Structure formats: C-alpha cells, structure tokens
Amino acid sequence: MKHFLRMFFQVCLYFYCKFLWRCLKFVMRKLTGRCELQRICYNTKPGASRTMKIETSLRDSKSKLLQTSVSVHPDAIEKTIEDIMELKKINPDINPQLGISLQACLLQIVGYRNLIADVEKLRRESYDSDNPQHEEMLLKLWKFLKPNTPLESRISKQWCEIGFQGDDPKTDFRGMGLLGLYNLHKFSKAEWEKKRMDKAIGYSFAIVGINITDLAYNLLVSGALKTHFYNIAPEAPTLSHFQQTFCYLMHEFHKFWIEEDPMDIMEFNRVREKFRKRIIRQLQNPDMALCPHFAASEGLINM
C-alpha cells in the first residue's frame, strides 16, 4: 500500500510540475512576445547549450509537429522549419536569424541520430572470414603495423604481436563487429609505434583499441557525446567525427594508464572504469569539447 501511495504521489507531482511549466511558458510568451524556441535561440549561445535546450523543447512539446521534427530526414529540415514558424506564427522576414539557428540545431540533432544508426550498422556487421573485403581489411592492418614482417599464415600467433588475444583476430571482433576493425585502421602508425612500449606498461594495442571502441560506442548511444559533438560539429556529426573521438580517447587512455601505473593487466577493468567516469564528468559540462583541436585527418590512415 505504501508503495502504491508513493507511486501515486510521484505521478501527481509529475503532472502538477508539468502543468506549472506549461503555465510558466504561457506567461513568458505573453510577457516577452516570444515563444520558447525564440527565447532559447536569442538568449543561449550556439553550441551544445543551445542545441540541447532546443532538442528538449521540441521533444517535450505537446505539438506533434515539434515532437517529430527531431527525427525528420535531413532533406526535410528546411520545410520542417517553415512549418514550425507557421505554427508558432513567427514572421520569417522579421525573424530571419531564428530560422538559421533552428536549422543549425536540427542538423545537429538529426545528424546525431543518423550517426548512431551508422555506427550501429558497423557494430552489428560481424567479421566474416569468408568475406574477401573483411579479410583484405584485416591483412591491410597487419601490413600497416608490421610492414617489414611477413605474416606467416592467416591463423598465426603473430597476431599477438599487435595486441590480439589469440591466433585468429576475428574472435576479438565479436562484441564490436566491423566497427572495431574500422577504428583500429584509423589509429596512426606513428602513434602505434610510439606506444610499442605497451608491453612494458601492461596492455596491447588491438584489444585495447576494441575496448575503447566499446567505450566510444556506449558514450554515443547513451547521449553523453551530444555535448562534445554539438560543440565541435557546426552541422551534422559524421562517422569521421566519431572516429576522431575514438582516436582522442585512445590517446587519453594511454596517458591515463601511465598515470595510474597499474600493477598488471588484471587492473585493466578498474582503470577503464575510472577513465570512463572521468570522461563522463567532462561531458557534463555543456561547453565541453573533448578534442576541439584534434583534426580527424591528422595522423590517420585512409582505408
């Protein structure tokens, strides 16, 4: 009975607060002559702060048009903004900047959703040793990292030299699929060679790269990376932005591992979790950009 009363009280409180919020929005519109979208665009600087407020306003609106605007096709954004302006009775000739600001925000919001879909597609595609394209990509990784050492056979203990756990790397891609292989390709040869001391500090490149891919993926799908992408991508964030972020996380994890100075690889999960919490804390700052000066084209290999 107590549980039921508590639940009932929470539901009543939710609707009461929602009613008060709608009343407050109505009063603010009457006092300022501007709707909530206008107030956000005019009073909040561009970037994650503005885009996340716009996203929340649209998603929580009682209007179906505004609710669905966060998931329209990119080609429909311009028409969607026209419909929003008409619905809100906003003259675009008098408020030209509003349309520009809304378009930038919607491009980021829709782009983030599409990026999740692109990343998820790569993650769900399992590594297939019977697929010549997959095999070519894997062998290219070996040649890239070990150009002066021929691979004796496809199934070989040599794979452990670049940080895989066994004789056949395909088993290490089970969790992240082709996304893990894609990201390993994107990390620079120079950085890998610089970190060949990894044997001395207790971790190996390939398996850690796949693990950090998992971290980047979870930050993306949880929405934690919105702060970062909305601050660095003026329009829609892309797969290149995601891979850029992965490379940054690899750099930072390497430094963090050295700072933590763990006894051995058995402490990997503890260090990784501590690193994850630090990144999440950073992303809670609406002005945060993890790697504002880390160009996606610098130090990366083209596949």
Side-chain angles (χ1 to χ4, degrees), residues 25 46 63 123 272 274:
K25 286 170 64 176
S63 165
R123 189 190 72 85
R272 180 192 183 277
K274 190 173 180 181

Side-chain angles (χ1 to χ4, degrees), residues 196-222:
R196 288 180 72 176
M197 57 179 178
D198 59 7
K199 288 186 172 61
I201 61 173
Y203 74 75
S204 298
F205 167 72
I207 196 63
V208 169
I210 294 171
N211 205 285
I212 297 301
T213 293
D214 175 76
L215 172 60
Y217 166 78
N218 282 289
L219 290 173
L220 178 73
V221 298
S222 70

Side-chain angles (χ1 to χ4, degrees), residues 57-230:
S57 178
L58 293 172
R59 189 183 61 242
D60 294 346
S61 173
K62 60 182 180 181
S63 165
K64 193 69 174 176
L65 170 64
L66 270 60
Q67 290 175 9
T68 57
S69 64
V70 297
S71 57
V72 298
H73 190 277
D75 293 342
I77 287 178
E78 191 172 336
K79 176 62 168 60
T80 299
I81 292 172
E82 291 177 2
D83 293 340
I84 291 174
M85 301 277 272
E86 183 178 349
L87 176 69
K88 293 292 184 178
K89 296 181 173 57
I90 300 171
N91 188 330
D93 296 327
I94 299 176
N95 301 272
Q97 187 58 42
L98 178 63
I100 296 172
S101 298
L102 281 177
Q103 183 176 33
C105 290
L106 280 180
L107 282 169
Q108 289 182 320
I109 294 166
V110 172
Y112 192 93
R113 293 171 66 97
N114 290 341
L115 175 58
I116 291 177
D118 292 341
V119 168
E120 185 65 29
K121 183 178 179 181
L122 280 174
R123 189 190 72 85
R124 287 182 176 273
E125 186 172 356
S126 301
Y127 184 91
D128 183 1
S129 55
D130 294 326
N131 187 317
Q133 291 181 330
H134 294 186
E135 286 287 283
E136 181 184 2
M137 195 184 304
L138 179 62
L139 294 174
K140 187 185 290 186
L141 179 66
W142 174 267
K143 292 176 183 177
F144 171 64
L145 295 178
K146 306 280 285 184
N148 301 318
T149 306
L151 187 64
E152 295 173 1
S153 64
R154 168 61 181 78
I155 309 295
S156 169
K157 292 187 182 298
Q158 286 178 286
W159 289 110
C160 296
E161 295 177 22
I162 60 174
F164 286 101
Q165 291 182 312
D167 298 352
D168 190 350
K170 76 174 185 179
T171 59
D172 290 332
F173 292 120
R174 285 175 182 164
M176 286 291 107
L178 282 193
L179 183 64
L181 182 54
Y182 249 76
N183 280 352
L184 291 181
H185 264 275
K186 289 297 178 182
F187 205 65
S188 75
K189 177 183 177 183
E191 288 300 326
W192 182 80
E193 288 181 338
K194 189 164 64 178
K195 295 176 176 53
R196 288 180 72 176
M197 57 179 178
D198 59 7
K199 288 186 172 61
I201 61 173
Y203 74 75
S204 298
F205 167 72
I207 196 63
V208 169
I210 294 171
N211 205 285
I212 297 301
T213 293
D214 175 76
L215 172 60
Y217 166 78
N218 282 289
L219 290 173
L220 178 73
V221 298
S222 70
L225 279 178
K226 285 181 178 180
T227 306
H228 167 62
F229 284 136
Y230 290 168

Side-chain angles (χ1 to χ4, degrees), residues 228-271:
H228 167 62
F229 284 136
Y230 290 168
N231 281 326
I232 67 163
E235 294 185 346
T238 65
L239 194 57
S240 292
H241 289 111
F242 178 77
Q243 290 166 335
Q244 168 194 12
T245 305
F246 160 77
C247 290
Y248 170 82
L249 290 173
M250 282 288 286
H251 278 268
E252 291 302 300
F253 181 78
H254 180 75
K255 291 192 295 184
F256 189 76
W257 179 272
I258 294 172
E259 290 169 7
E260 287 291 301
D261 192 24
M263 293 290 292
D264 53 39
I265 192 61
M266 298 303 292
E267 291 196 69
F268 179 81
N269 287 338
R270 177 190 67 80
V271 175

